[in-house]
Each structure stands twice: as C-alpha cells, then as structure tokens.
Amino acid sequence: MGKTLTRKILEKHLKSGEIRLGTDIGLKIDQTLTQDATGTMAYLEFEAMGVPRVKTERSVAYIDHNTLQTGFENADDHRYIQSVAKKHGIWFSRPGNGICHQVHLERFGIPGKTLIGSDSHTPTGGGLGMLAFGAGGLDVAVAMGGGEYHITVSKVLKVELTGALSPWVSAKDAILELLRRLSVKGGVGRILEYTGPGVATLTVPERATITNMGTELGATTSVFPSDEVTRAFLAAQGREADWTPLGADPDAVYDEEMTVDLSAIEPLAACPHSPDNVRPIAELAGNKIDQVCIGSCTNSSYLDLMRVASILKGKTVHPSVSLVIAPGSKQVYTMLAQNGALADLIASGARILECACGPCIGMGQSPNSAGISLRTFNRNFEGRSGTADGQVYLVSPETAAASALTGVFTDPRTLGAFEKIEIPASFTVNDNMIVAPASKEEADSVEVLRGPNIKPFPVSGPLPESITAKAILKVGDNITTDHIMPAGAKILPYRSNIPYLSNFCFGVCDKEFPARCKQEGGGIVIGGANYGQGSSREHAALVPLYLGVKAVLAKSYARIHCANLANAGILALQFKNESDYDRIDQMDVLSLPDIRRAIKEKLPILLRDETKGFEIEVIPVMTDRERAMVAAGGLLNYTKSLS
Ligand code: MIC
Ligand code: SF4
C-alpha cells in the first residue's frame, strides 16, 4: 500500500507510539522557531529545564510581533531573547529582519524536516514540504531540549488541486475557498496534503499562503510535496543543497479526499468576524472602505508585493483610504528597493511599515470607528484590529490593492490587462541580521539580560482528589485565544508578566472576569464548540491558571489550546451530551468528586451541578500522557517526576 507524504515524514521522525489514527505519538523535532510574543515565556521555560544547549538541528528566535517600543518592556524582552539565544545555541533574527514564517521559509526551511514553532502559523513551512506544527511555548522548550513533540495522529485529507488560478485570482482566494467549504472547524483532526496537477502551477510562496492559513481551518498542519518548483525556490535562495524531492506514492491511500479546481476560483473575502465567513468580492463590489493593510505572514512575499506594486504603479491611493504595507522580510524589502517597486508603492501614497506583524496583531494601525478594513492577513476576529467595532475583511493582495485605488470593494478582474509576475531566478541574500549563537566554549560567559518586566510564570500543583468550584464564566462557540487572552499594542508588551496580563483575561467577553476569579478563588470555565481556536499562545492557559481556573468544560476544543491546557495542568473536559451545555448557568456550583482517581484510572467522570442538583457525564480530552501530566500538575512537573 502506497504512503502519503505525511506518513513518510512521520515515520522518519517517530520516537514513540504507533502511527494509527487517533493515537498519541512522539516525534523527533529537527527545527524550532519562536517569536517574541511567545518567546520570552518559551525561553523562561527552557531555562527552567536546565538544558545548557539546544539539541535540535536548528532553532531560531525571531523578533517580529512586539516591535512597537512604547515603553522599555519590548526592548527589554528583545535583549533577553537575544542573550538567552546566544547562550543556548539558538540563532537570533533581529528586529527588522522580518516575520518569522516568511524568513524561515526563505532562509531555514528544509523539505522533509519537522518544525515546531510557538506560533500557530508555523505550518507555513508546509509550503516547502516540511511537516510543521504550531505549538505552545512549553512544547517548543521541550523540543529544544531534545524531547519529543506529541500529537494525536490525524486523518490525512488529500486535497487534489486541478487547473490553474485565473488571472487576478490568487493563492489567498484558494485558501479562502477551502475555508468557505470546510469552515474554521473543518480541518480539526486533519492534516491537509496537497496533490494533483494544480500543485506544479503554484510557486513556493503561494503554497505557503495556503499552508499558512490552513491554521484557520483548525488543521493540525498542511503540506505540499517538494518538487521542481521547490528546488527552483531553494536554488534562488542559494540553498539548492537543502532540496530533496518528496511526495506521496502514486497509490497512496488517504483517509479523506476532496478536489479543488483552481481555475474555478474567483476573488473572495472573509467577512467580519470569522475567516470562514466567505463571500465573493463580486457581491461586495462598490461598498465603501476606509483602510487597506497589506502584509502579514500570509501575504507579504516578494511576489505578493510585486503584484501590489504593479497595480499601484503610477496611480494614487483613494483620498478616503489609508493604505499601509508591511513587507514580510528584509529580503523582500531590499528587493523592492533594488528594482524600484518600492518607489512605486511610496509614490502611490502607501504608508510603509517595518517588516513585522504590525497591524495583524493590533500593533498600531487600528481602523477608525466602525471602519471597514481590507487586510491580506489571516484572522479577522472581533476586536483584534484594536478597534472594537472595526470591520475586518480578509482578501488577496490583488483585491486589496485594487480597492485601495477606488475606495470601494473592487474585483481585481475589472482592472483589465494582467501583468504576470515571475518568481526571481535569484533572491537577494544577506543574512547579516541573523546572529549566530555563541560557541559551546564561549556560552558559559554569556550573561542573560533580564528586565523588570519578566516575572515568574505560574506552575500548577498536582491535581487534587476532588474539585468544587463555580462555573465562573460561560461562553459560546468558537471562542478564540484572542478572546481568552487578547493581544494588541497595549497588552502584548506584558507577555512575560502573567500577573499584569491577568487583568485583561476574557476582557472581550466579560470585563469582570478577572475580578470575579480573584473573589471566588478561580473556577471552571464553560465553553461551546471549537473552544480556544486561533493562536498558539500558551498565555491563554497560563493566565487562567494564575487566576485559579481549574478546569474547562466545553463542547469541543482546538488542538493547540487543548494541549496548552494539559501542559499547564488544567483539566480539559468535554460534554458527553452536548445539550448538557444548556443546563449549566454561570455561577452554578459544580463539583468533580474523586477526579484525581478518575483521571489516573480512566474511570467515567461525573460532574455534579450542586446548585441545580443534577449530575452529568463529562469526558476528558486528554491522551494517556496528558492524563499523567495533569495529575502531576502540568508538563514541567511531569517531566521532573520522570527524572
Ligand atoms: C497570532 O497571529 O495570533 C499570533 C500573535 O501570531 C499568535 C501567537 C501569539 O499569540 O503570540 C499565534 O498565531 O500563535
Ligand atoms: Fe504575525 Fe499575524 Fe502571522 Fe500571527 S498571523 S505570526 S501576528 S503576521
């Protein structure tokens, strides 16, 4: 029986378990990446493990999220990460060098390797044929220390691509089409493996746009084969030696299949406030807009920005629109400067931002009140832009540029003649903003520089025999980690200061939540379906832990957040009967008698609503390893208990 590409890479990296659907396996991780908003915590955790030097083939620390330095906090964190990286064998990508996923694709990604990153869009590397996963900071710390990364074996969904994208239709529209069809839950428990004749028509940056936003489908990861197009991309990056051809066997057997005809796709937009709320641009055409933002790890490649420049060349941004552009990397920025495209962008009136996440994570450029903002990004969750009533639409670079000129939603196909932009035969390579780690001999003398913003992280205690606590908060479906632990310019600088961050926990849903937790000594959070979708930030588990949250009881969970809860030592429980969700009200007193024994011995778990006097069965969403971890009080305690 032929093998899928996913299976081939998994087999090569398997350290424990058996590759069988639904079982827990431990993988060897070849590469790791962190960014600064999750990196400080990941490196504090790595330090707590006491491993002197990373054991991976390549670990890179990027600075790209927290680059607005409105106080000392971000700059202090950058210094901490730079020094800790130098000491422990980690490469450091300096602020200004670009967005982690874009730079990693350009300079470090290698087909067939495993990569985990403390950022949910790490699957971008799948565009190069890597098996790349977003993970919590603690998982990344463990992988840096040579430990296994655990996943539950997902279904492999074959996505057969046929045809080729039409003029003015972009890879972004292809992934929006998948979101339209599958929704933000459609990828849960699945790895999307792209095959078929359409694959060869897509360049590596286009493939990376698609794997990047597979995260919004809830997918475990997404992967493309490594083919001649991959070879040409790596050769153009001066890295042909990193190339190996990789793909599924022709007779590979998949768990599920679907076909996407690239030639049938039209320009699309994800409407507020969910990436799967997709409509054709043609239906929105003519509606007035206020802002356009181009960039982010989804759409900031050289190809993307050259397409934008060719649309804007010789024209002026509409007077009622603010257009901002953030190139994805210093390489992209440099090449635009070298070939004159940057001058075209500037001349059109675009406001050029540094190479970083910027507005994507609410770091500036919040739209006006109720403003309509078209963004080439991957997330449009409510409030993420920094304007509570901002209306964010996710679109392709082509649609964004066309609309910036007209001031209304504009289908780029109405622009007329299409200028095909080819991927360059060689990129401008200059790695001078990537700092090598100290040698083993020098490492001892490197001092780790900590600022006053860095506070200790909370660690759970062992799971108690029984739990009695109030339903401290009840929320609905599709709660994102941006709801649980918001980001944005005001809060992000405190990612290494859990006590301060806790004041903002669940602020989007209920401003009183932190105060109520403090008053009640924590409690149990009741959630709907797909709880914790979105980012990989482990802060969405660590902050509730700090506030005394002992368990979450939801209809279903997003993968990374669920793992982060277990890592933090918080119980992730699921309703056996979804309708029981309606029976529990906020502030009901709940009890989980004999929970420790039930978790350890895999007994059925009964939850009692003491206020209303009924009992329901709940199911732990945990592998055997996670049961042991939660019983021990989280991954760090568990790891210590093993040694
Ligand atoms: C995001 O896009 O939400 C982030 C910011 O990149 C996060 C990581 C974080 O919260 O720091 C992600 O996607 O994991
Ligand atoms: Fe940065 Fe946005 Fe990408 Fe997250 S999604 S890594 S904030 S550019």
Side-chain angles (χ1 to χ4, degrees), residues 65 99-101 119 121 296-297 357 360-361 378 384:
H65 282 60
I99 304 174
C100 54
H101 309 303
D119 191 281
H121 290 103
S296 92
C297 57
C357 301
C360 179
I361 193 58
N378 48 35
R384 182 173 160 109

Side-chain angles (χ1 to χ4, degrees), residues 40-49 80 138 454-460 495-499 538-539 542 545-546 636 640:
T40 43
M41 199 52 69
Y43 293 115
L44 287 171
E45 290 161 340
F46 179 75
E47 287 187 293
M49 287 165 30
Y80 164 68
L138 190 47
I454 294 186
K455 299 278 186 280
F457 56 90
V459 180
S460 174
R495 281 288 182 90
S496 39
N497 185 345
I498 301 283
E538 61 188 331
H539 304 76
L542 291 176
L545 171 70
Y546 174 82
L636 275 183
K640 275 188 206 141

Side-chain angles (χ1 to χ4, degrees), residues 35 37-38 65 119-121 361 379 384 495 535-537:
Q35 39 89 338
T38 52
H65 282 60
D119 191 281
S120 64
H121 290 103
I361 193 58
R379 289 186 172 146
R384 182 173 160 109
R495 281 288 182 90
S535 131
S536 68
R537 61 191 72 148

